[in-house]
Amino acid sequence: MNGGGAAGEAWGGPSLRLEALELIEVALPLVRPFRTSFGEERVKRALLVRARTDGPDGWGECVAAPEPRYSEEWLEGAWFAIREWIGPAVLAGGPVDDPAQVEKRWSWVRGHRMAKAAVEAAVVDAWLRAAGRSLREFLGGVQDRVPCGVSVGISHPVEATLEEIEGYVAEGYQRVKVKIEPGHDVELVRAVREAFPNIDLSVDANGAYRLADTRVFVALDEFDLLMVQQPFHPEDFVGHARLQREIRTAVCLDESIRSARDVDTAIALRACMVFNLKPGRVGGLQESLRVHDRVQASSRLLRVGGMRETGVGRALNLAVASLPAVGLPGGTSGSHRCFEEDLTRPFVLEPDGTMEVPRGPGIGVTPLPDRLAACTARTETVRAG
């Protein structure tokens, strides 16, 4: 991979024999409910993929939620797709000499990007551990530490939001993003801006508005926002382009971006000024590099978001956030922001608002055995043929 190139060819590396893929569903209580325009989440349910090999094992995390609210993918569907098609296709392909081979083995499977991303992550992690290389180095990352922001869910009354933000600002987060929905927007942002006049502030609608609501975003121009994220439906590129022409604040596309082709569409239509890359949503690391390179060539801004992943997914996101074109604080917050106890060693925000990119081989972390056992709801093993 290596910044968009073929890393296996650039370095050489091990020939790794895949023995099986283990699917593991985990459930971790959140420290506080997290509400968006999609609904409320109190427990983080996640699908982990463990690549068992003749060398080190590797780990990946699927970002699909239990229900198809955020996207058309959901946890049970991802489990089924990996078990029935994606996993067997990868395992049947023989030894992995170059991680780029993984994507080719499932090329006949349409969609299921979140499921594919989890499998690819696990295989790449195992391959890199065998090679003794970090994911950051493999991708071509240039930062040892990355600046971090935090997302604040919808809560009532407004005073509760202000209190939550005050805590995050005191911890050192470099950017605050507030979730909004119709009826809970302009006055909320006004209160936040008055209470915190100097913070880098943005809002995230998660597609809850329509073009007819443009007046809301015109009103938000008053508050010197860093960006307004995903105002409209993910497929409404034309609507976002019209909105961007009407407002000064940068539009950021998030759920709309599921591939590098979506980036091309958004650039051609001038639908946004900022892109939010989530590796688990676009189909994995190789597609993330394609998105990165497209955005870099367009001179637009890029950030790397998170989806309240466990430490497995957080480690991967931090490595992607170290890429050279990433110019805005990302969405990978400290572990304690979500969990009393993470699955891996905790990720800690430094007082300057940055977080260290793991340096060890692969993603640089592994689930703690006792913690993993305590959180596991079910497992299943996938084998070739």
Side-chain angles (χ1 to χ4, degrees):
M1 297 181 186
N2 205 18
E9 295 175 8
W11 293 0
S15 180
L16 197 68
R17 184 170 65 85
L18 296 173
E19 298 176 344
L21 297 177
E22 184 179 358
L23 308 184
I24 307 168
E25 182 184 343
V26 296
L28 286 74
L30 297 175
V31 294
R32 60 161 55 91
F34 188 78
R35 182 170 171 249
T36 70
S37 58
F38 294 133
E40 184 176 88
E41 186 178 28
R42 292 177 176 269
V43 175
K44 174 65 179 182
R45 289 177 56 198
L47 165 58
L48 303 183
V49 178
R50 183 177 192 172
R52 295 193 174 276
T53 79
D54 60 348
D57 289 350
W59 293 88
E61 179 172 347
C62 181
V63 299
E67 298 175 327
R69 296 179 183 271
Y70 177 83
S71 83
E72 66 275 17
E73 294 188 64
W74 78 104
L75 191 151
E76 198 68 37
W79 188 291
F80 185 89
I82 294 171
R83 183 185 70 198
E84 297 296 321
W85 305 305
I86 297 169
V90 172
L91 293 167
V96 177
D97 303 309
D98 175 357
Q101 296 169 348
V102 176
E103 189 180 56
K104 296 174 183 177
R105 294 180 186 183
W106 64 48
S107 60
W108 60 274
V109 179
R110 291 288 183 99
H112 300 285
R113 294 178 176 87
M114 295 178 177
K116 291 175 177 176
V119 173
E120 182 201 46
V123 175
V124 170
D125 183 39
W127 192 89
L128 288 173
R129 290 178 192 273
R133 301 282 191 165
S134 72
L135 180 59
R136 182 191 71 81
E137 181 184 3
F138 183 65
L139 295 175
V142 296
Q143 302 180 70
D144 294 325
R145 313 189 66 83
V146 297
C148 296
V150 67
S151 294
V152 179
I154 296 170
S155 60
H156 299 282
V158 170
E159 287 73 21
T161 299
L162 298 180
E163 182 179 353
E164 188 176 346
I165 293 173
E166 184 176 16
Y168 295 141
V169 171
E171 288 183 48
Y173 282 102
Q174 295 192 15
R175 175 201 51 79
V176 173
K177 183 174 69 177
V178 177
K179 299 286 187 177
I180 61 173
E181 65 181 356
H184 191 71
D185 40 46
V186 176
E187 293 310 311
L188 167 67
V189 177
R190 187 188 308 279
V192 173
R193 180 50 87 199
E194 288 176 354
F196 304 97
N198 299 318
I199 64 171
D200 281 340
L201 179 65
S202 59
V203 297
D204 185 2
N206 291 116
Y209 295 81
R210 299 174 299 170
L211 187 60
D213 299 313
T214 295
R215 58 181 176 76
V216 171
F217 299 97
V218 171
L220 290 175
D221 262 344
E222 172 188 348
F223 304 115
D224 189 29
L225 300 178
L226 184 65
M227 62 186 185
V228 294
Q229 185 166 310
Q230 200 63 50
F232 305 149
H233 190 280
E235 296 176 6
D236 192 3
F237 286 92
V238 172
H240 284 107
R242 290 175 178 172
L243 176 65
Q244 186 65 92
R245 291 197 294 268
E246 293 292 325
I247 64 175
R248 298 189 307 274
T249 306
V251 171
C252 171
L253 290 186
D254 181 20
E255 289 96 322
S256 294
I257 306 305
R258 298 182 299 172
S259 68
R261 291 187 180 91
D262 289 333
V263 174
D264 293 338
T265 298
I267 292 171
L269 293 174
R270 300 182 180 180
C272 67
M273 297 166 63
V274 182
F275 289 94
N276 189 30
L277 167 62
K278 290 180 178 173
R281 187 188 61 228
V282 303
L285 294 165
Q286 293 202 78
E287 192 68 12
S288 293
L289 288 173
R290 296 183 191 110
V291 169
H292 168 273
D293 292 350
R294 300 284 215 288
V295 177
Q296 186 176 46
S298 76
S299 298
R300 285 169 170 78
L301 292 173
L302 179 66
R303 64 183 299 274
V304 174
M307 296 180 69
R308 295 174 304 286
E309 290 94 339
T310 74
V312 173
R314 285 169 193 266
L316 183 142
N317 288 345
L318 286 168
V320 175
S322 73
L323 288 166
V326 180
L328 292 175
T332 301
S333 54
S335 294
H336 80 285
R337 153 88 170 95
C338 293
F339 314 116
E340 291 287 350
E341 186 179 356
D342 207 337
L343 282 181
T344 67
R345 56 93 169 164
F347 286 88
V348 178
L349 186 79
E350 296 298 326
D352 66 352
T354 66
M355 194 174 297
E356 184 180 33
V357 181
R359 301 181 182 183
I363 61 173
V365 297
T366 55
L368 302 170
D370 290 346
R371 179 61 174 155
L372 178 62
C375 295
T376 296
R378 59 172 169 157
T379 65
E380 186 172 357
T381 299
V382 180
R383 300 186 187 279

